[in-house]
Amino acid sequence: MGTATQSIGWPEPLVDRLVAGGRRVIRYDHRDTGLSECRDFATHPYTLDDLALDALAVLDAHGVEAAHLAGASLGGAIGQWLAVHRPERVRSLTAIMTSPMGNDPGPTWARAFAGQPPLPGELPPPAPALLRHLATGGGSPLDTQRALHGEELPFDEAAARSFVERTLARATDPGAARNHDLAGRRWTDARRAPLATITAPTLVIHGSADPLFPPAHAEALAPLVPGARLTIVDGMGHGLFAPGLPEHVADLILTNPL
């Protein structure tokens, strides 16, 4: 799943659809989220590389030699890392609402918060409405989910509220999830590796109304991966809280590989 997001970020309707399509589904809590172990980041820092190796550890524990990987947001970057550096473990890759793993959005975001436009060649920052939301502190977790959802598809507030409540109830340390932001700022050469070496069948799924990573991020990612297909979902934002959207995304995942 994405930054600071537990395994339950994959909604049950999406999981059920994948199972009905013949897939065995493994969801897991990233380190510092949910029921997984939490540590002090200052004494135990980590990077995207380590989060990717966590995914391999989960597969190893389940005796899975190679898997169809589906990753959303941060999870999409983890999937790219694995497809580049551990290709023998990746049967297919579906990267959802994400950006090229080598893209560093930090400078662009900083300029956006300062009211400055991105530099030539930079991928666009979040939408102005989301930037305003983040600049004011983000409000409640439900407010943040609503802001990430975008303004085009209906927002399933009941599903989002249930997700937020369950997330808080099953978190060992809710504040530890912020460590993912710190990890995202620690860059390694492995994260900058070219995506042209990916051989796994790759599908890029993105929302036309994604306020966090505008569609240009997906349009930049897909051409970097040989043979990758790009599917833009009309109206989808940066989340799965629209009626019928989890099932639709699951159906798309099931098309990869062809």
Coordinates of all heavy atoms in Angstrom, one line a residue, residues 87-160:
P87 N 14.1 -9.1 -10.4 CA 13.1 -9.4 -11.4 C 12.6 -10.8 -11.4 O 11.5 -11.1 -11.8 CB 13.9 -9.2 -12.7 CG 15.4 -9.2 -12.3 CD 15.4 -8.7 -10.9
E88 N 13.4 -11.7 -10.8 CA 13.0 -13.1 -10.7 C 11.8 -13.3 -9.8 O 11.2 -14.4 -9.8 CB 14.2 -14.0 -10.3 CG 14.6 -13.9 -8.9 CD 15.4 -12.7 -8.5 OE1 15.7 -11.9 -9.5 OE2 15.8 -12.5 -7.4
R89 N 11.5 -12.3 -8.9 CA 10.5 -12.5 -8.0 C 9.2 -11.8 -8.4 O 8.1 -11.9 -7.7 CB 10.9 -11.8 -6.6 CG 12.2 -12.2 -6.0 CD 12.2 -13.7 -5.7 NE 11.2 -14.1 -4.7 CZ 11.4 -14.1 -3.4 NH1 12.5 -13.7 -2.9 NH2 10.4 -14.5 -2.5
V90 N 9.2 -11.2 -9.6 CA 8.1 -10.4 -10.1 C 7.5 -11.0 -11.4 O 8.1 -11.0 -12.4 CB 8.5 -8.9 -10.4 CG1 7.3 -8.1 -10.8 CG2 9.1 -8.3 -9.1
R91 N 6.3 -11.6 -11.3 CA 5.6 -12.2 -12.4 C 5.0 -11.1 -13.3 O 4.9 -11.2 -14.5 CB 4.6 -13.2 -12.0 CG 5.2 -14.4 -11.3 CD 4.2 -15.4 -10.8 NE 3.5 -16.0 -12.0 CZ 2.5 -16.9 -11.9 NH1 2.1 -17.3 -10.7 NH2 2.0 -17.4 -12.9
S92 N 4.4 -10.1 -12.6 CA 3.8 -8.9 -13.3 C 3.8 -7.8 -12.3 O 3.9 -8.0 -11.1 CB 2.4 -9.2 -13.8 OG 1.5 -9.3 -12.8
L93 N 3.8 -6.6 -12.8 CA 3.8 -5.4 -12.0 C 2.6 -4.5 -12.4 O 2.4 -4.2 -13.6 CB 5.1 -4.6 -12.1 CG 5.1 -3.2 -11.5 CD1 4.9 -3.3 -10.0 CD2 6.4 -2.5 -11.9
T94 N 1.8 -4.1 -11.4 CA 0.7 -3.1 -11.6 C 1.0 -2.0 -10.7 O 1.0 -2.1 -9.5 CB -0.7 -3.7 -11.3 OG1 -0.9 -4.9 -12.1 CG2 -1.8 -2.7 -11.6
A95 N 1.3 -0.8 -11.3 CA 1.7 0.4 -10.5 C 0.5 1.3 -10.6 O 0.1 1.8 -11.7 CB 2.9 1.0 -11.1
I96 N -0.1 1.6 -9.4 CA -1.3 2.4 -9.3 C -1.1 3.7 -8.6 O -0.4 3.8 -7.6 CB -2.4 1.6 -8.5 CG1 -2.5 0.2 -9.1 CG2 -3.7 2.3 -8.5 CD1 -3.3 -0.8 -8.2
M97 N -1.6 4.8 -9.2 CA -1.6 6.1 -8.7 C -0.2 6.5 -8.1 O 0.0 6.9 -7.0 CB -2.7 6.4 -7.6 CG -2.7 5.4 -6.4 SD -4.1 5.7 -5.3 CE -5.3 4.6 -6.0
T98 N 0.8 6.2 -8.9 CA 2.2 6.4 -8.5 C 3.0 7.2 -9.5 O 2.5 7.8 -10.4 CB 2.9 5.0 -8.2 OG1 4.1 5.2 -7.5 CG2 3.1 4.3 -9.5
S99 N 4.3 7.3 -9.2 CA 5.2 8.2 -10.0 C 6.5 7.3 -10.3 O 6.7 6.3 -9.6 CB 5.6 9.4 -9.2 OG 6.3 10.3 -10.0
P100 N 7.3 7.7 -11.2 CA 8.6 6.9 -11.4 C 9.4 6.9 -10.1 O 9.5 7.9 -9.5 CB 9.3 7.7 -12.5 CG 8.2 8.4 -13.3 CD 7.1 8.7 -12.3
M101 N 9.9 5.8 -9.8 CA 10.6 5.7 -8.5 C 11.8 6.6 -8.4 O 12.2 6.9 -7.3 CB 11.0 4.2 -8.2 CG 12.2 3.7 -9.0 SD 12.7 2.1 -8.3 CE 14.1 1.8 -9.4
G102 N 12.3 7.0 -9.5 CA 13.5 7.9 -9.5 C 13.1 9.4 -9.4 O 14.0 10.2 -9.4
N103 N 11.8 9.7 -9.4 CA 11.4 11.1 -9.3 C 11.4 11.5 -7.9 O 10.8 10.9 -7.0 CB 10.0 11.2 -9.9 CG 9.4 12.6 -9.7 OD1 10.0 13.6 -10.1 ND2 8.2 12.7 -9.1
D104 N 12.1 12.6 -7.7 CA 12.1 13.3 -6.3 C 11.2 14.5 -6.3 O 11.5 15.5 -6.9 CB 13.5 13.7 -6.0 CG 13.6 14.3 -4.6 OD1 12.6 14.4 -3.9 OD2 14.7 14.8 -4.2
P105 N 10.0 14.3 -5.7 CA 9.0 15.5 -5.8 C 9.3 16.6 -4.8 O 8.7 17.6 -4.9 CB 7.7 14.8 -5.5 CG 8.1 13.7 -4.6 CD 9.4 13.2 -5.0
G106 N 10.3 16.3 -3.9 CA 10.5 17.3 -2.8 C 10.8 18.7 -3.3 O 10.1 19.7 -2.8
P107 N 11.7 19.0 -4.2 CA 12.0 20.3 -4.6 C 10.7 21.0 -5.3 O 10.5 22.2 -5.1 CB 13.1 20.2 -5.6 CG 13.8 18.9 -5.2 CD 12.7 18.0 -4.7
T108 N 10.0 20.2 -6.1 CA 8.8 20.7 -6.8 C 7.8 21.1 -5.8 O 7.1 22.2 -5.9 CB 8.3 19.7 -7.8 OG1 9.3 19.2 -8.6 CG2 7.2 20.3 -8.6
W109 N 7.6 20.2 -4.8 CA 6.6 20.5 -3.8 C 7.0 21.8 -3.0 O 6.1 22.6 -2.7 CB 6.5 19.4 -2.8 CG 5.7 18.2 -3.3 CD1 5.7 17.7 -4.6 CD2 4.8 17.4 -2.6 NE1 4.8 16.7 -4.7 CE2 4.3 16.4 -3.5 CE3 4.3 17.4 -1.3 CZ2 3.3 15.5 -3.1 CZ3 3.4 16.4 -0.9 CH2 2.9 15.5 -1.8
A110 N 8.3 21.9 -2.7 CA 8.7 23.1 -1.9 C 8.4 24.4 -2.7 O 7.9 25.4 -2.1 CB 10.2 23.0 -1.6
R111 N 8.7 24.3 -4.0 CA 8.4 25.5 -4.8 C 6.9 25.8 -4.9 O 6.4 26.9 -4.9 CB 9.0 25.4 -6.2 CG 10.5 25.7 -6.3 CD 11.0 25.6 -7.7 NE 11.2 24.3 -8.2 CZ 12.2 23.6 -8.0 NH1 13.3 24.0 -7.3 NH2 12.3 22.3 -8.5
A112 N 6.1 24.7 -5.0 CA 4.7 24.9 -5.0 C 4.1 25.5 -3.7 O 3.3 26.4 -3.8 CB 4.0 23.5 -5.3
F113 N 4.6 25.1 -2.6 CA 4.2 25.6 -1.3 C 4.6 27.1 -1.2 O 3.9 27.9 -0.5 CB 4.7 24.9 -0.1 CG 4.0 23.6 0.2 CD1 4.5 22.4 0.1 CD2 2.7 23.7 0.7 CE1 3.8 21.2 0.4 CE2 1.9 22.6 1.0 CZ 2.5 21.3 0.9
A114 N 5.7 27.5 -1.9 CA 6.1 28.9 -1.9 C 5.4 29.7 -3.0 O 5.8 30.8 -3.2 CB 7.6 28.9 -2.1
G115 N 4.5 29.0 -3.7 CA 3.8 29.8 -4.8 C 4.6 29.9 -6.1 O 4.3 30.7 -6.9
Q116 N 5.6 29.0 -6.3 CA 6.4 29.1 -7.5 C 6.1 27.9 -8.4 O 5.8 26.8 -7.9 CB 7.9 29.0 -7.1 CG 8.4 30.2 -6.2 CD 9.8 30.0 -5.6 OE1 10.4 29.0 -5.9 NE2 10.2 31.0 -4.9
P117 N 6.2 28.1 -9.7 CA 5.9 27.0 -10.6 C 7.0 26.0 -10.7 O 8.2 26.3 -10.3 CB 5.7 27.7 -11.9 CG 6.6 28.9 -11.8 CD 6.5 29.3 -10.4
P118 N 6.7 24.8 -11.1 CA 7.8 23.8 -11.3 C 8.8 24.2 -12.4 O 8.5 25.0 -13.3 CB 7.1 22.5 -11.7 CG 5.8 23.0 -12.3 CD 5.4 24.2 -11.5
L119 N 10.0 23.7 -12.3 CA 11.0 24.1 -13.3 C 10.8 23.2 -14.5 O 10.1 22.2 -14.5 CB 12.4 23.8 -12.7 CG 12.9 24.6 -11.5 CD1 14.2 24.2 -11.0 CD2 12.8 26.1 -11.8
P120 N 11.3 23.6 -15.7 CA 11.2 22.8 -16.9 C 11.7 21.4 -16.7 O 12.7 21.2 -16.1 CB 12.0 23.6 -17.9 CG 12.0 25.0 -17.4 CD 12.0 24.9 -15.9
G121 N 10.9 20.4 -17.1 CA 11.2 19.0 -17.0 C 10.8 18.4 -15.7 O 10.8 17.1 -15.6
E122 N 10.3 19.2 -14.7 CA 9.8 18.6 -13.5 C 8.4 18.1 -13.6 O 7.6 18.8 -14.4 CB 9.9 19.6 -12.3 CG 11.3 19.9 -11.8 CD 11.3 20.8 -10.7 OE1 10.4 21.6 -10.5 OE2 12.3 20.8 -9.9
L123 N 8.0 17.1 -13.0 CA 6.6 16.6 -13.0 C 5.8 17.5 -12.1 O 6.3 18.1 -11.1 CB 6.5 15.2 -12.5 CG 7.2 14.1 -13.4 CD1 7.2 12.8 -12.8 CD2 6.4 14.1 -14.8
P124 N 4.5 17.7 -12.4 CA 3.7 18.7 -11.7 C 3.5 18.4 -10.2 O 3.5 17.2 -9.8 CB 2.4 18.7 -12.4 CG 2.4 17.4 -13.1 CD 3.8 17.0 -13.4
P125 N 3.3 19.4 -9.4 CA 3.1 19.2 -8.0 C 1.6 18.9 -7.7 O 0.8 18.8 -8.7 CB 3.4 20.6 -7.4 CG 3.0 21.6 -8.5 CD 3.4 20.8 -9.8
P126 N 1.2 18.6 -6.5 CA -0.2 18.4 -6.2 C -1.1 19.5 -6.6 O -0.7 20.7 -6.8 CB -0.2 18.2 -4.7 CG 1.2 17.7 -4.3 CD 2.0 18.5 -5.3
A127 N -2.4 19.2 -6.8 CA -3.3 20.2 -7.2 C -3.4 21.3 -6.1 O -3.2 21.1 -4.9 CB -4.7 19.6 -7.4
P128 N -3.8 22.6 -6.5 CA -3.8 23.7 -5.5 C -4.7 23.4 -4.3 O -4.3 23.7 -3.2 CB -4.3 24.8 -6.4 CG -3.9 24.5 -7.8 CD -4.0 23.0 -7.9
A129 N -5.9 22.8 -4.5 CA -6.8 22.5 -3.4 C -6.1 21.6 -2.4 O -6.3 21.8 -1.2 CB -8.1 21.9 -3.9
L130 N -5.4 20.6 -2.9 CA -4.7 19.6 -2.0 C -3.5 20.3 -1.3 O -3.3 20.1 -0.1 CB -4.2 18.4 -2.7 CG -3.5 17.3 -1.8 CD1 -4.5 16.9 -0.7 CD2 -3.1 16.2 -2.7
L131 N -2.8 21.2 -2.0 CA -1.7 21.9 -1.4 C -2.3 22.8 -0.2 O -1.7 22.9 0.8 CB -1.0 22.8 -2.4 CG -0.1 22.1 -3.4 CD1 0.4 23.0 -4.4 CD2 1.1 21.5 -2.6
R132 N -3.4 23.5 -0.5 CA -4.0 24.3 0.6 C -4.4 23.4 1.8 O -4.2 23.8 2.9 CB -5.2 25.0 0.0 CG -4.9 26.2 -0.9 CD -6.1 27.1 -1.2 NE -7.2 26.3 -1.8 CZ -7.3 26.2 -3.2 NH1 -6.4 26.8 -4.0 NH2 -8.4 25.6 -3.7
H133 N -4.9 22.3 1.5 CA -5.3 21.4 2.6 C -4.1 21.0 3.4 O -4.1 21.0 4.7 CB -6.0 20.1 2.0 CG -6.3 19.1 3.0 ND1 -7.4 19.1 3.9 CD2 -5.6 17.9 3.3 CE1 -7.3 18.0 4.7 NE2 -6.3 17.3 4.4
L134 N -3.0 20.6 2.7 CA -1.8 20.2 3.4 C -1.2 21.3 4.2 O -0.6 21.2 5.3 CB -0.8 19.6 2.4 CG -1.3 18.3 1.7 CD1 -0.3 17.9 0.7 CD2 -1.5 17.2 2.7
A135 N -1.2 22.5 3.6 CA -0.6 23.7 4.2 C -1.2 24.1 5.5 O -0.6 24.7 6.4 CB -0.6 24.9 3.2
T136 N -2.5 23.7 5.7 CA -3.2 24.1 6.9 C -3.2 23.0 7.9 O -3.8 23.0 9.0 CB -4.7 24.3 6.6 OG1 -5.3 23.2 6.0 CG2 -4.9 25.5 5.6
G137 N -2.3 22.0 7.7 CA -2.1 20.9 8.7 C -2.9 19.6 8.4 O -2.7 18.6 9.1
G138 N -3.7 19.6 7.3 CA -4.3 18.4 6.9 C -5.7 18.1 7.5 O -6.3 17.2 7.1
G139 N -6.1 18.8 8.6 CA -7.3 18.5 9.2 C -7.4 17.1 9.8 O -6.4 16.5 10.2
S140 N -8.6 16.5 9.8 CA -8.7 15.1 10.4 C -8.3 14.1 9.3 O -8.3 14.4 8.1 CB -10.2 14.9 10.8 OG -11.0 14.8 9.6
P141 N -8.0 12.9 9.7 CA -7.7 11.8 8.7 C -8.8 11.7 7.7 O -8.5 11.4 6.5 CB -7.6 10.6 9.5 CG -7.1 11.0 10.9 CD -7.9 12.3 11.1
L142 N -10.1 11.8 8.1 CA -11.2 11.7 7.1 C -11.2 12.9 6.1 O -11.4 12.7 4.9 CB -12.5 11.7 7.8 CG -13.8 11.5 7.0 CD1 -13.7 10.2 6.2 CD2 -15.0 11.5 7.8
D143 N -10.8 14.1 6.6 CA -10.7 15.2 5.7 C -9.6 15.0 4.7 O -9.8 15.4 3.5 CB -10.4 16.5 6.5 CG -11.6 17.0 7.4 OD1 -12.7 16.6 7.1 OD2 -11.3 17.6 8.4
T144 N -8.5 14.4 5.1 CA -7.4 14.1 4.2 C -7.8 13.1 3.2 O -7.5 13.3 2.0 CB -6.2 13.6 5.0 OG1 -5.7 14.6 5.9 CG2 -5.1 13.3 4.0
Q145 N -8.6 12.1 3.5 CA -9.0 11.1 2.6 C -10.0 11.8 1.6 O -9.9 11.5 0.4 CB -9.8 9.9 3.3 CG -8.9 9.1 4.1 CD -7.7 8.4 3.3 OE1 -7.9 8.1 2.1 NE2 -6.6 8.2 3.9
R146 N -10.8 12.7 2.0 CA -11.7 13.4 1.1 C -10.9 14.3 0.2 O -11.2 14.4 -1.0 CB -12.7 14.2 1.9 CG -13.7 14.9 1.1 CD -14.7 15.8 1.9 NE -15.6 14.9 2.7 CZ -15.5 14.8 4.0 NH1 -14.5 15.4 4.7 NH2 -16.4 14.1 4.7
A147 N -9.9 14.9 0.7 CA -9.1 15.8 -0.2 C -8.3 15.0 -1.2 O -8.2 15.4 -2.4 CB -8.1 16.6 0.7
L148 N -7.8 13.8 -0.8 CA -7.1 13.0 -1.8 C -8.0 12.4 -2.8 O -7.6 12.1 -4.0 CB -6.3 11.9 -1.0 CG -5.2 12.3 -0.2 CD1 -4.7 11.1 0.7 CD2 -4.0 12.7 -1.1
H149 N -9.2 12.2 -2.5 CA -10.2 11.6 -3.4 C -10.4 12.4 -4.6 O -10.7 11.8 -5.7 CB -11.5 11.4 -2.6 CG -12.6 10.8 -3.5 ND1 -12.7 9.5 -3.7 CD2 -13.7 11.4 -4.1 CE1 -13.8 9.2 -4.5 NE2 -14.4 10.4 -4.7
G150 N -10.3 13.7 -4.5 CA -10.6 14.5 -5.7 C -12.0 14.9 -5.7 O -12.8 14.6 -4.8
E151 N -12.4 15.6 -6.8 CA -13.7 16.3 -6.8 C -14.7 15.7 -7.9 O -15.7 16.3 -8.1 CB -13.5 17.8 -7.1 CG -12.7 18.4 -6.0 CD -12.4 19.9 -6.2 OE1 -12.8 20.4 -7.3 OE2 -11.8 20.6 -5.3
E152 N -14.3 14.6 -8.6 CA -15.1 14.2 -9.7 C -16.0 13.0 -9.4 O -17.2 13.0 -9.7 CB -14.2 13.9 -10.9 CG -13.5 15.1 -11.4 CD -12.8 14.9 -12.8 OE1 -13.1 13.9 -13.4 OE2 -12.0 15.7 -13.1
L153 N -15.5 11.9 -8.8 CA -16.3 10.8 -8.5 C -16.9 11.0 -7.1 O -16.4 11.6 -6.3 CB -15.4 9.5 -8.5 CG -14.8 9.0 -9.8 CD1 -14.0 7.7 -9.6 CD2 -15.9 8.8 -10.8
P154 N -18.1 10.3 -6.9 CA -18.7 10.4 -5.6 C -17.8 9.8 -4.5 O -17.1 8.9 -4.8 CB -20.0 9.5 -5.8 CG -20.3 9.5 -7.2 CD -18.9 9.6 -7.9
F155 N -17.8 10.5 -3.4 CA -17.0 10.0 -2.2 C -17.8 9.2 -1.3 O -18.8 9.6 -0.7 CB -16.4 11.3 -1.5 CG -15.6 11.0 -0.3 CD1 -14.4 10.3 -0.5 CD2 -15.9 11.4 0.9 CE1 -13.5 10.0 0.6 CE2 -15.1 11.1 2.0 CZ -13.9 10.4 1.8
D156 N -17.3 7.9 -1.1 CA -18.0 7.0 -0.2 C -17.6 7.3 1.2 O -16.6 6.7 1.7 CB -17.7 5.6 -0.6 CG -18.6 4.6 0.2 OD1 -19.1 4.9 1.2 OD2 -18.7 3.4 -0.3
E157 N -18.2 8.3 1.9 CA -17.8 8.7 3.2 C -17.9 7.6 4.2 O -17.0 7.5 5.1 CB -18.6 9.9 3.7 CG -18.1 10.5 5.0 CD -18.7 11.8 5.3 OE1 -19.1 12.5 4.4 OE2 -18.7 12.1 6.5
A158 N -18.9 6.8 4.1 CA -19.0 5.7 5.1 C -17.8 4.7 5.0 O -17.3 4.3 6.1 CB -20.3 4.9 4.9
A159 N -17.4 4.4 3.8 CA -16.3 3.5 3.6 C -15.0 4.1 4.1 O -14.1 3.5 4.8 CB -16.1 3.1 2.2
A160 N -14.8 5.4 3.8 CA -13.6 6.1 4.3 C -13.6 6.3 5.8 O -12.5 6.1 6.4 CB -13.6 7.5 3.6

